[in-house]
Amino acid sequence: MAPMALALILGWWLAAASGAQQLPPPSLSLHPSHGVSLGDAVTLRCHLTQSAAWVWLYKGEHWTYRKYKDEEEDTAEFSFESTKREHAGSYRCQYRVSWSALTSELSDPVELVLTDRSFPPPSISLSPAKRVGSGTNVSIQCWNQGCGADFLLYKDGCSAPIQRQDSNGGDAAEFTLLAVTPADSGTYRCSYRSRNHTSVSSPIGNNVTLEVAPTPAPPGGSEPPISVTCTLLDPSGDARRSLVVAVVRGCAAALVFGLGLYFVLDARSLWIRRDDSPGGEGS
């Protein structure tokens, strides 16, 4: 039975090695989460699901800082006392569990955007400027003082930009809201980001207010309640990456299972041949 035992041990080892890539990832958060200007203090907190010995903070594809964390703590903090342009960018974190060499997956990214108040805030206009009816197409134009940049459109009540547009080297961008409904009513503002520093933003400029008249309710009916809608940007493509990770995990699991099954069957066949041989146990 030695070959079969060896096969089972090998299969268990392969499964454990595959499981090392499936440790739950940590989560990363910014404090404050927005409105950070150059020179302000900011803290990135890596929240862990279990005790860890080391925590790494990555900026882009390369780790930037690492910290030893006490096992009693479930959060590791990385702080910038006075932010500079080089601190702006996309961050992730990762940890290693204290009782082995297993390393977690990377957290989802968070972007540290710094506001440079030396940039003049953009201007904004709304067309049509008066109250519009449901189904109308509305245009919101943002422009700056001759700085080619990417423009971002914000809606009050939403935590992130709802649209982004490249000015194509010009100084203006036009956002279109198609077939608006009362849920699109609200206050809109915009900002822009330098192409040389895509995580450095201008201050948010003045606002415009959109008012959408509801569609008349049918006789005897009632109008539905109006709520704020936020169709937020997803520039990181996390959903696509999650799908790829899931497929890779499935393939790895299938490979481990196939290898384990192969070794078990091969060991069983070897054992049967040994029993059937003239010098086997049944002779």
Side-chain angles (χ1 to χ4, degrees), residues 15-36:
S18 175
Q21 304 302 319
Q22 299 180 25
L23 285 174
S27 61
L28 185 64
S29 60
L30 280 169
H31 301 270
S33 59
H34 60 276
V36 181

Side-chain angles (χ1 to χ4, degrees), residues 135-176:
T136 304
N137 293 341
V138 174
S139 173
I140 299 177
Q141 188 176 52
C142 299
W143 68 94
N144 58 22
Q145 299 177 2
C147 303
D150 292 339
F151 284 84
L152 297 99
L153 181 67
Y154 301 83
K155 183 182 180 183
D156 283 8
C158 300
S159 60
I162 61 171
Q163 288 192 40
R164 183 172 186 164
Q165 190 175 125
D166 187 346
S167 65
N168 293 319
D171 56 4
E174 186 172 351
F175 301 96
T176 302

Side-chain angles (χ1 to χ4, degrees), residues 13 48 53 72 88 94 98 118 130-131 133 146 166 168 174 176 180 217 229 235 238 243 247 260 280-281:
W13 182 84
L48 313 177
E72 293 77 16
Q94 185 181 42
S98 56
S118 69
K130 59 183 180 181
R131 189 180 193 219
D166 187 346
N168 293 319
E174 186 172 351
T176 302
V180 295
T229 57
D238 290 331
L243 178 60
V247 171
E281 293 179 359

Side-chain angles (χ1 to χ4, degrees), residues 217-222:
S222 60

Side-chain angles (χ1 to χ4, degrees), residues 182-211:
D184 294 305
S185 298
T187 301
Y188 292 82
R189 311 166 195 266
C190 59
S191 69
Y192 60 90
R193 298 184 186 180
S194 166
R195 289 186 175 176
N196 295 328
H197 301 279
T198 56
S199 293
V200 176
S201 172
S202 74
I204 295 178
N206 295 329
N207 65 77
V208 293
T209 300
L210 172 63
E211 185 178 359

Side-chain angles (χ1 to χ4, degrees), residues 28 43-44 54 71 78 107 113 122 125 144 155 187 208 221 230 235 269:
L28 185 64
T43 298
L44 294 99
W54 286 99
E71 294 187 16
F78 301 87
S107 68
V113 178
S125 65
N144 58 22
K155 183 182 180 183
T187 301
V208 293
C230 301
S269 175

